[in-house]
PDB file of all heavy atoms in Angstrom:
ATOM      1  N   ALA A   1     156.273 197.712 106.206  1.00  0.00           N
ATOM      2  CA  ALA A   1     154.958 197.497 105.712  1.00  0.00           C
ATOM      3  C   ALA A   1     154.748 196.130 105.104  1.00  0.00           C
ATOM      4  O   ALA A   1     153.778 195.374 105.380  1.00  0.00           O
ATOM      5  CB  ALA A   1     154.545 198.510 104.684  1.00  0.00           C
ATOM      6  N   LYS A   2     155.740 195.769 104.300  1.00  0.00           N
ATOM      7  CA  LYS A   2     155.601 194.411 103.673  1.00  0.00           C
ATOM      8  C   LYS A   2     155.787 193.235 104.662  1.00  0.00           C
ATOM      9  O   LYS A   2     155.336 192.100 104.271  1.00  0.00           O
ATOM     10  CB  LYS A   2     156.760 194.354 102.610  1.00  0.00           C
ATOM     11  CG  LYS A   2     156.464 195.280 101.450  1.00  0.00           C
ATOM     12  CD  LYS A   2     157.586 195.094 100.475  1.00  0.00           C
ATOM     13  CE  LYS A   2     157.444 196.106  99.264  1.00  0.00           C
ATOM     14  NZ  LYS A   2     158.532 196.014  98.266  1.00  0.00           N
ATOM     15  N   ALA A   3     156.342 193.523 105.877  1.00  0.00           N
ATOM     16  CA  ALA A   3     156.514 192.544 106.940  1.00  0.00           C
ATOM     17  C   ALA A   3     155.226 192.432 107.792  1.00  0.00           C
ATOM     18  O   ALA A   3     155.283 191.749 108.767  1.00  0.00           O
ATOM     19  CB  ALA A   3     157.785 192.800 107.737  1.00  0.00           C
ATOM     20  N   SER A   4     154.175 193.230 107.464  1.00  0.00           N
ATOM     21  CA  SER A   4     153.053 193.310 108.315  1.00  0.00           C
ATOM     22  C   SER A   4     151.783 192.828 107.597  1.00  0.00           C
ATOM     23  O   SER A   4     151.620 192.895 106.344  1.00  0.00           O
ATOM     24  CB  SER A   4     152.784 194.763 108.678  1.00  0.00           C
ATOM     25  OG  SER A   4     153.898 195.396 109.225  1.00  0.00           O
ATOM     26  N   LYS A   5     150.942 192.231 108.321  1.00  0.00           N
ATOM     27  CA  LYS A   5     149.664 191.737 107.847  1.00  0.00           C
ATOM     28  C   LYS A   5     148.580 192.824 107.654  1.00  0.00           C
ATOM     29  O   LYS A   5     147.787 192.848 106.742  1.00  0.00           O
ATOM     30  CB  LYS A   5     149.022 190.647 108.709  1.00  0.00           C
ATOM     31  CG  LYS A   5     149.988 189.416 108.714  1.00  0.00           C
ATOM     32  CD  LYS A   5     149.402 188.278 109.637  1.00  0.00           C
ATOM     33  CE  LYS A   5     150.386 187.088 109.727  1.00  0.00           C
ATOM     34  NZ  LYS A   5     149.893 185.962 110.491  1.00  0.00           N
ATOM     35  N   PHE A   6     148.591 193.804 108.631  1.00  0.00           N
ATOM     36  CA  PHE A   6     147.769 194.943 108.610  1.00  0.00           C
ATOM     37  C   PHE A   6     148.611 196.231 108.741  1.00  0.00           C
ATOM     38  O   PHE A   6     149.572 196.162 109.448  1.00  0.00           O
ATOM     39  CB  PHE A   6     146.693 194.901 109.676  1.00  0.00           C
ATOM     40  CG  PHE A   6     145.770 193.814 109.586  1.00  0.00           C
ATOM     41  CD1 PHE A   6     145.966 192.626 110.285  1.00  0.00           C
ATOM     42  CD2 PHE A   6     144.589 193.868 108.822  1.00  0.00           C
ATOM     43  CE1 PHE A   6     145.119 191.525 110.216  1.00  0.00           C
ATOM     44  CE2 PHE A   6     143.735 192.782 108.774  1.00  0.00           C
ATOM     45  CZ  PHE A   6     143.915 191.683 109.496  1.00  0.00           C
ATOM     46  N   ILE A   7     148.274 197.284 108.016  1.00  0.00           N
ATOM     47  CA  ILE A   7     148.978 198.583 108.115  1.00  0.00           C
ATOM     48  C   ILE A   7     148.056 199.519 108.731  1.00  0.00           C
ATOM     49  O   ILE A   7     146.978 199.740 108.223  1.00  0.00           O
ATOM     50  CB  ILE A   7     149.526 198.954 106.799  1.00  0.00           C
ATOM     51  CG1 ILE A   7     150.512 197.979 106.265  1.00  0.00           C
ATOM     52  CG2 ILE A   7     150.144 200.350 106.832  1.00  0.00           C
ATOM     53  CD1 ILE A   7     150.951 198.264 104.838  1.00  0.00           C
ATOM     54  N   LEU A   8     148.370 200.136 109.793  1.00  0.00           N
ATOM     55  CA  LEU A   8     147.518 201.205 110.362  1.00  0.00           C
ATOM     56  C   LEU A   8     147.674 202.528 109.540  1.00  0.00           C
ATOM     57  O   LEU A   8     148.685 202.942 109.221  1.00  0.00           O
ATOM     58  CB  LEU A   8     147.955 201.550 111.830  1.00  0.00           C
ATOM     59  CG  LEU A   8     147.990 200.355 112.760  1.00  0.00           C
ATOM     60  CD1 LEU A   8     148.235 200.808 114.201  1.00  0.00           C
ATOM     61  CD2 LEU A   8     146.744 199.552 112.785  1.00  0.00           C
ATOM     62  N   CYS A   9     146.468 202.992 109.158  1.00  0.00           N
ATOM     63  CA  CYS A   9     146.390 204.178 108.346  1.00  0.00           C
ATOM     64  C   CYS A   9     145.594 205.324 108.988  1.00  0.00           C
ATOM     65  O   CYS A   9     144.433 205.531 108.665  1.00  0.00           O
ATOM     66  CB  CYS A   9     145.755 203.831 106.953  1.00  0.00           C
ATOM     67  SG  CYS A   9     146.682 202.622 106.056  1.00  0.00           S
ATOM     68  N   PRO A  10     146.227 206.027 110.028  1.00  0.00           N
ATOM     69  CA  PRO A  10     145.471 207.035 110.624  1.00  0.00           C
ATOM     70  C   PRO A  10     145.461 208.345 109.770  1.00  0.00           C
ATOM     71  O   PRO A  10     146.368 208.495 108.902  1.00  0.00           O
ATOM     72  CB  PRO A  10     146.298 207.290 111.916  1.00  0.00           C
ATOM     73  CG  PRO A  10     147.742 206.978 111.466  1.00  0.00           C
ATOM     74  CD  PRO A  10     147.572 205.781 110.497  1.00  0.00           C
ATOM     75  N   ARG A  11     144.584 209.219 110.181  1.00  0.00           N
ATOM     76  CA  ARG A  11     144.554 210.527 109.431  1.00  0.00           C
ATOM     77  C   ARG A  11     145.795 211.255 109.729  1.00  0.00           C
ATOM     78  O   ARG A  11     146.451 210.998 110.842  1.00  0.00           O
ATOM     79  CB  ARG A  11     143.315 211.304 109.798  1.00  0.00           C
ATOM     80  CG  ARG A  11     143.227 211.753 111.197  1.00  0.00           C
ATOM     81  CD  ARG A  11     142.310 212.915 111.341  1.00  0.00           C
ATOM     82  NE  ARG A  11     142.694 214.099 110.607  1.00  0.00           N
ATOM     83  CZ  ARG A  11     141.766 214.855 110.093  1.00  0.00           C
ATOM     84  NH1 ARG A  11     140.406 214.771 110.209  1.00  0.00           N
ATOM     85  NH2 ARG A  11     142.190 215.956 109.352  1.00  0.00           N
ATOM     86  N   GLY A  12     146.267 212.192 108.926  1.00  0.00           N
ATOM     87  CA  GLY A  12     147.373 213.065 109.228  1.00  0.00           C
ATOM     88  C   GLY A  12     146.793 214.501 109.340  1.00  0.00           C
ATOM     89  O   GLY A  12     145.897 214.707 110.076  1.00  0.00           O
ATOM     90  N   VAL A  13     147.486 215.348 108.567  1.00  0.00           N
ATOM     91  CA  VAL A  13     147.017 216.735 108.519  1.00  0.00           C
ATOM     92  C   VAL A  13     145.563 216.767 107.967  1.00  0.00           C
ATOM     93  O   VAL A  13     144.716 217.548 108.442  1.00  0.00           O
ATOM     94  CB  VAL A  13     147.912 217.594 107.725  1.00  0.00           C
ATOM     95  CG1 VAL A  13     147.333 218.968 107.562  1.00  0.00           C
ATOM     96  CG2 VAL A  13     149.347 217.652 108.255  1.00  0.00           C
ATOM     97  N   SER A  14     145.291 215.968 106.944  1.00  0.00           N
ATOM     98  CA  SER A  14     143.935 215.863 106.339  1.00  0.00           C
ATOM     99  C   SER A  14     143.365 214.532 106.727  1.00  0.00           C
ATOM    100  O   SER A  14     144.037 213.615 107.283  1.00  0.00           O
ATOM    101  CB  SER A  14     143.959 216.098 104.913  1.00  0.00           C
ATOM    102  OG  SER A  14     144.630 215.041 104.225  1.00  0.00           O
ATOM    103  N   ALA A  15     142.011 214.351 106.451  1.00  0.00           N
ATOM    104  CA  ALA A  15     141.397 213.105 106.819  1.00  0.00           C
ATOM    105  C   ALA A  15     141.940 211.896 106.031  1.00  0.00           C
ATOM    106  O   ALA A  15     141.830 210.835 106.465  1.00  0.00           O
ATOM    107  CB  ALA A  15     139.814 213.317 106.551  1.00  0.00           C
ATOM    108  N   SER A  16     142.448 212.164 104.833  1.00  0.00           N
ATOM    109  CA  SER A  16     143.001 211.070 104.021  1.00  0.00           C
ATOM    110  C   SER A  16     144.530 210.998 104.264  1.00  0.00           C
ATOM    111  O   SER A  16     145.095 211.860 104.821  1.00  0.00           O
ATOM    112  CB  SER A  16     142.692 211.259 102.544  1.00  0.00           C
ATOM    113  OG  SER A  16     143.127 210.177 101.812  1.00  0.00           O
ATOM    114  N   SER A  17     145.008 209.839 103.854  1.00  0.00           N
ATOM    115  CA  SER A  17     146.413 209.653 103.993  1.00  0.00           C
ATOM    116  C   SER A  17     146.935 208.761 102.753  1.00  0.00           C
ATOM    117  O   SER A  17     146.299 207.872 102.371  1.00  0.00           O
ATOM    118  CB  SER A  17     146.714 208.850 105.356  1.00  0.00           C
ATOM    119  OG  SER A  17     148.083 208.467 105.290  1.00  0.00           O
ATOM    120  N   ILE A  18     148.079 209.227 102.233  1.00  0.00           N
ATOM    121  CA  ILE A  18     148.650 208.493 101.073  1.00  0.00           C
ATOM    122  C   ILE A  18     149.074 207.123 101.528  1.00  0.00           C
ATOM    123  O   ILE A  18     149.224 206.126 100.732  1.00  0.00           O
ATOM    124  CB  ILE A  18     149.870 209.205 100.575  1.00  0.00           C
ATOM    125  CG1 ILE A  18     150.301 208.621  99.182  1.00  0.00           C
ATOM    126  CG2 ILE A  18     151.089 209.167 101.501  1.00  0.00           C
ATOM    127  CD1 ILE A  18     151.255 209.490  98.429  1.00  0.00           C
ATOM    128  N   ARG A  19     149.216 206.905 102.898  1.00  0.00           N
ATOM    129  CA  ARG A  19     149.630 205.514 103.427  1.00  0.00           C
ATOM    130  C   ARG A  19     148.543 204.493 103.042  1.00  0.00           C
ATOM    131  O   ARG A  19     148.869 203.374 102.825  1.00  0.00           O
ATOM    132  CB  ARG A  19     149.696 205.681 104.949  1.00  0.00           C
ATOM    133  CG  ARG A  19     150.258 204.445 105.688  1.00  0.00           C
ATOM    134  CD  ARG A  19     150.126 204.720 107.142  1.00  0.00           C
ATOM    135  NE  ARG A  19     150.715 206.005 107.536  1.00  0.00           N
ATOM    136  CZ  ARG A  19     152.040 206.129 107.831  1.00  0.00           C
ATOM    137  NH1 ARG A  19     152.803 205.024 107.826  1.00  0.00           N
ATOM    138  NH2 ARG A  19     152.584 207.277 108.023  1.00  0.00           N
ATOM    139  N   LEU A  20     147.306 204.968 102.994  1.00  0.00           N
ATOM    140  CA  LEU A  20     146.208 203.978 102.665  1.00  0.00           C
ATOM    141  C   LEU A  20     146.494 203.393 101.286  1.00  0.00           C
ATOM    142  O   LEU A  20     146.310 202.247 101.036  1.00  0.00           O
ATOM    143  CB  LEU A  20     144.879 204.772 102.725  1.00  0.00           C
ATOM    144  CG  LEU A  20     143.614 204.047 102.146  1.00  0.00           C
ATOM    145  CD1 LEU A  20     143.323 202.726 102.811  1.00  0.00           C
ATOM    146  CD2 LEU A  20     142.379 204.969 102.220  1.00  0.00           C
ATOM    147  N   PHE A  21     146.791 204.244 100.359  1.00  0.00           N
ATOM    148  CA  PHE A  21     146.916 203.841  98.913  1.00  0.00           C
ATOM    149  C   PHE A  21     148.235 203.051  98.804  1.00  0.00           C
ATOM    150  O   PHE A  21     148.290 202.163  97.861  1.00  0.00           O
ATOM    151  CB  PHE A  21     146.842 205.109  97.995  1.00  0.00           C
ATOM    152  CG  PHE A  21     145.610 205.741  98.084  1.00  0.00           C
ATOM    153  CD1 PHE A  21     145.371 206.862  98.999  1.00  0.00           C
ATOM    154  CD2 PHE A  21     144.446 205.425  97.330  1.00  0.00           C
ATOM    155  CE1 PHE A  21     144.119 207.479  99.126  1.00  0.00           C
ATOM    156  CE2 PHE A  21     143.240 206.087  97.428  1.00  0.00           C
ATOM    157  CZ  PHE A  21     143.076 207.118  98.294  1.00  0.00           C
ATOM    158  N   GLU A  22     149.200 203.410  99.543  1.00  0.00           N
ATOM    159  CA  GLU A  22     150.432 202.673  99.522  1.00  0.00           C
ATOM    160  C   GLU A  22     150.197 201.255 100.014  1.00  0.00           C
ATOM    161  O   GLU A  22     150.745 200.257  99.523  1.00  0.00           O
ATOM    162  CB  GLU A  22     151.604 203.401 100.350  1.00  0.00           C
ATOM    163  CG  GLU A  22     152.003 204.642  99.679  1.00  0.00           C
ATOM    164  CD  GLU A  22     153.003 205.444 100.647  1.00  0.00           C
ATOM    165  OE1 GLU A  22     152.809 205.224 101.825  1.00  0.00           O
ATOM    166  OE2 GLU A  22     153.863 206.138 100.106  1.00  0.00           O
ATOM    167  N   ALA A  23     149.457 201.098 101.099  1.00  0.00           N
ATOM    168  CA  ALA A  23     149.072 199.808 101.621  1.00  0.00           C
ATOM    169  C   ALA A  23     148.368 198.937 100.609  1.00  0.00           C
ATOM    170  O   ALA A  23     148.735 197.762 100.332  1.00  0.00           O
ATOM    171  CB  ALA A  23     148.242 199.913 102.862  1.00  0.00           C
ATOM    172  N   MET A  24     147.513 199.524  99.892  1.00  0.00           N
ATOM    173  CA  MET A  24     146.832 198.780  98.735  1.00  0.00           C
ATOM    174  C   MET A  24     147.762 198.413  97.667  1.00  0.00           C
ATOM    175  O   MET A  24     147.744 197.292  97.176  1.00  0.00           O
ATOM    176  CB  MET A  24     145.679 199.643  98.224  1.00  0.00           C
ATOM    177  CG  MET A  24     144.503 199.939  99.228  1.00  0.00           C
ATOM    178  SD  MET A  24     143.402 201.176  98.545  1.00  0.00           S
ATOM    179  CE  MET A  24     142.692 200.194  97.170  1.00  0.00           C
ATOM    180  N   ARG A  25     148.613 199.365  97.303  1.00  0.00           N
ATOM    181  CA  ARG A  25     149.605 199.097  96.312  1.00  0.00           C
ATOM    182  C   ARG A  25     150.587 197.886  96.642  1.00  0.00           C
ATOM    183  O   ARG A  25     150.843 197.063  95.751  1.00  0.00           O
ATOM    184  CB  ARG A  25     150.412 200.357  96.029  1.00  0.00           C
ATOM    185  CG  ARG A  25     151.394 200.215  94.842  1.00  0.00           C
ATOM    186  CD  ARG A  25     152.129 201.531  94.590  1.00  0.00           C
ATOM    187  NE  ARG A  25     153.018 201.471  93.480  1.00  0.00           N
ATOM    188  CZ  ARG A  25     154.371 201.707  93.491  1.00  0.00           C
ATOM    189  NH1 ARG A  25     154.897 202.186  94.638  1.00  0.00           N
ATOM    190  NH2 ARG A  25     155.052 201.664  92.484  1.00  0.00           N
ATOM    191  N   MET A  26     150.879 197.840  97.849  1.00  0.00           N
ATOM    192  CA  MET A  26     151.772 196.728  98.343  1.00  0.00           C
ATOM    193  C   MET A  26     151.041 195.393  98.628  1.00  0.00           C
ATOM    194  O   MET A  26     151.708 194.427  98.905  1.00  0.00           O
ATOM    195  CB  MET A  26     152.597 197.202  99.675  1.00  0.00           C
ATOM    196  CG  MET A  26     153.593 198.253  99.381  1.00  0.00           C
ATOM    197  SD  MET A  26     154.568 198.758 100.838  1.00  0.00           S
ATOM    198  CE  MET A  26     153.441 199.812 101.692  1.00  0.00           C
ATOM    199  N   GLY A  27     149.730 195.464  98.602  1.00  0.00           N
ATOM    200  CA  GLY A  27     149.056 194.200  98.885  1.00  0.00           C
ATOM    201  C   GLY A  27     148.911 193.962 100.299  1.00  0.00           C
ATOM    202  O   GLY A  27     148.837 192.739 100.729  1.00  0.00           O
ATOM    203  N   ARG A  28     148.626 195.038 101.175  1.00  0.00           N
ATOM    204  CA  ARG A  28     148.353 194.797 102.583  1.00  0.00           C
ATOM    205  C   ARG A  28     147.098 195.407 102.951  1.00  0.00           C
ATOM    206  O   ARG A  28     146.654 196.364 102.448  1.00  0.00           O
ATOM    207  CB  ARG A  28     149.517 195.465 103.357  1.00  0.00           C
ATOM    208  CG  ARG A  28     150.945 194.867 103.098  1.00  0.00           C
ATOM    209  CD  ARG A  28     150.941 193.316 103.526  1.00  0.00           C
ATOM    210  NE  ARG A  28     152.300 192.752 103.260  1.00  0.00           N
ATOM    211  CZ  ARG A  28     152.768 192.102 102.188  1.00  0.00           C
ATOM    212  NH1 ARG A  28     151.830 192.039 101.106  1.00  0.00           N
ATOM    213  NH2 ARG A  28     153.952 191.601 102.024  1.00  0.00           N
ATOM    214  N   ALA A  29     146.404 194.791 103.968  1.00  0.00           N
ATOM    215  CA  ALA A  29     145.198 195.268 104.440  1.00  0.00           C
ATOM    216  C   ALA A  29     145.226 196.443 105.298  1.00  0.00           C
ATOM    217  O   ALA A  29     145.935 196.584 106.277  1.00  0.00           O
ATOM    218  CB  ALA A  29     144.416 194.146 105.177  1.00  0.00           C
ATOM    219  N   PRO A  30     144.599 197.612 104.847  1.00  0.00           N
ATOM    220  CA  PRO A  30     144.686 198.899 105.609  1.00  0.00           C
ATOM    221  C   PRO A  30     143.685 198.947 106.690  1.00  0.00           C
ATOM    222  O   PRO A  30     142.555 198.395 106.590  1.00  0.00           O
ATOM    223  CB  PRO A  30     144.442 199.951 104.585  1.00  0.00           C
ATOM    224  CG  PRO A  30     143.514 199.224 103.611  1.00  0.00           C
ATOM    225  CD  PRO A  30     143.947 197.780 103.572  1.00  0.00           C
ATOM    226  N   VAL A  31     144.050 199.554 107.870  1.00  0.00           N
ATOM    227  CA  VAL A  31     143.190 199.791 108.921  1.00  0.00           C
ATOM    228  C   VAL A  31     143.041 201.312 109.081  1.00  0.00           C
ATOM    229  O   VAL A  31     143.943 202.046 109.443  1.00  0.00           O
ATOM    230  CB  VAL A  31     143.789 199.179 110.293  1.00  0.00           C
ATOM    231  CG1 VAL A  31     142.781 199.439 111.470  1.00  0.00           C
ATOM    232  CG2 VAL A  31     144.034 197.719 110.200  1.00  0.00           C
ATOM    233  N   ILE A  32     141.837 201.793 108.748  1.00  0.00           N
ATOM    234  CA  ILE A  32     141.696 203.217 108.617  1.00  0.00           C
ATOM    235  C   ILE A  32     141.206 203.792 109.971  1.00  0.00           C
ATOM    236  O   ILE A  32     140.108 203.355 110.482  1.00  0.00           O
ATOM    237  CB  ILE A  32     140.681 203.524 107.453  1.00  0.00           C
ATOM    238  CG1 ILE A  32     141.154 202.948 106.152  1.00  0.00           C
ATOM    239  CG2 ILE A  32     140.417 205.033 107.321  1.00  0.00           C
ATOM    240  CD1 ILE A  32     140.061 202.767 105.131  1.00  0.00           C
ATOM    241  N   LEU A  33     141.845 204.863 110.422  1.00  0.00           N
ATOM    242  CA  LEU A  33     141.444 205.525 111.676  1.00  0.00           C
ATOM    243  C   LEU A  33     141.282 206.964 111.277  1.00  0.00           C
ATOM    244  O   LEU A  33     142.221 207.783 111.391  1.00  0.00           O
ATOM    245  CB  LEU A  33     142.513 205.378 112.736  1.00  0.00           C
ATOM    246  CG  LEU A  33     142.668 203.904 113.256  1.00  0.00           C
ATOM    247  CD1 LEU A  33     143.964 203.333 112.798  1.00  0.00           C
ATOM    248  CD2 LEU A  33     142.686 203.921 114.831  1.00  0.00           C
ATOM    249  N   SER A  34     140.197 207.361 110.829  1.00  0.00           N
ATOM    250  CA  SER A  34     139.877 208.690 110.390  1.00  0.00           C
ATOM    251  C   SER A  34     138.409 208.944 110.371  1.00  0.00           C
ATOM    252  O   SER A  34     137.750 208.574 109.377  1.00  0.00           O
ATOM    253  CB  SER A  34     140.561 209.006 109.073  1.00  0.00           C
ATOM    254  OG  SER A  34     140.269 210.265 108.563  1.00  0.00           O
ATOM    255  N   ASP A  35     137.829 209.523 111.381  1.00  0.00           N
ATOM    256  CA  ASP A  35     136.322 209.562 111.328  1.00  0.00           C
ATOM    257  C   ASP A  35     135.801 210.508 110.359  1.00  0.00           C
ATOM    258  O   ASP A  35     134.623 210.303 109.885  1.00  0.00           O
ATOM    259  CB  ASP A  35     135.885 210.134 112.774  1.00  0.00           C
ATOM    260  CG  ASP A  35     136.258 209.236 113.975  1.00  0.00           C
ATOM    261  OD1 ASP A  35     136.601 208.024 113.597  1.00  0.00           O
ATOM    262  OD2 ASP A  35     136.193 209.699 115.046  1.00  0.00           O
ATOM    263  N   ASP A  36     136.511 211.427 109.791  1.00  0.00           N
ATOM    264  CA  ASP A  36     135.980 212.415 108.777  1.00  0.00           C
ATOM    265  C   ASP A  36     136.358 212.007 107.407  1.00  0.00           C
ATOM    266  O   ASP A  36     136.003 212.762 106.406  1.00  0.00           O
ATOM    267  CB  ASP A  36     136.593 213.820 108.994  1.00  0.00           C
ATOM    268  CG  ASP A  36     135.954 214.382 110.379  1.00  0.00           C
ATOM    269  OD1 ASP A  36     134.795 214.158 110.593  1.00  0.00           O
ATOM    270  OD2 ASP A  36     136.742 215.056 111.013  1.00  0.00           O
TER     271      ASP A  36
END
């Protein structure tokens, strides 16, 4: 994640993903793929 400019954050079992908040914490731009 730290070696990346953008981090893909697709939905998992639910529409949200902890990955999104981890990307923000690490200082990386999240790309959200979750219509709901």
Side-chain angles (χ1 to χ4, degrees):
K2 292 177 183 180
S4 308
K5 297 180 179 180
F6 295 94
I7 297 177
L8 304 187
C9 301
R11 67 164 296 147
V13 176
S14 66
S16 185
S17 169
I18 196 171
R19 185 184 309 270
L20 167 61
F21 300 90
E22 289 173 333
M24 294 173 67
R25 183 176 184 235
M26 289 184 282
R28 298 298 182 268
V31 181
I32 302 165
L33 295 104
S34 180
D35 295 348
D36 291 322

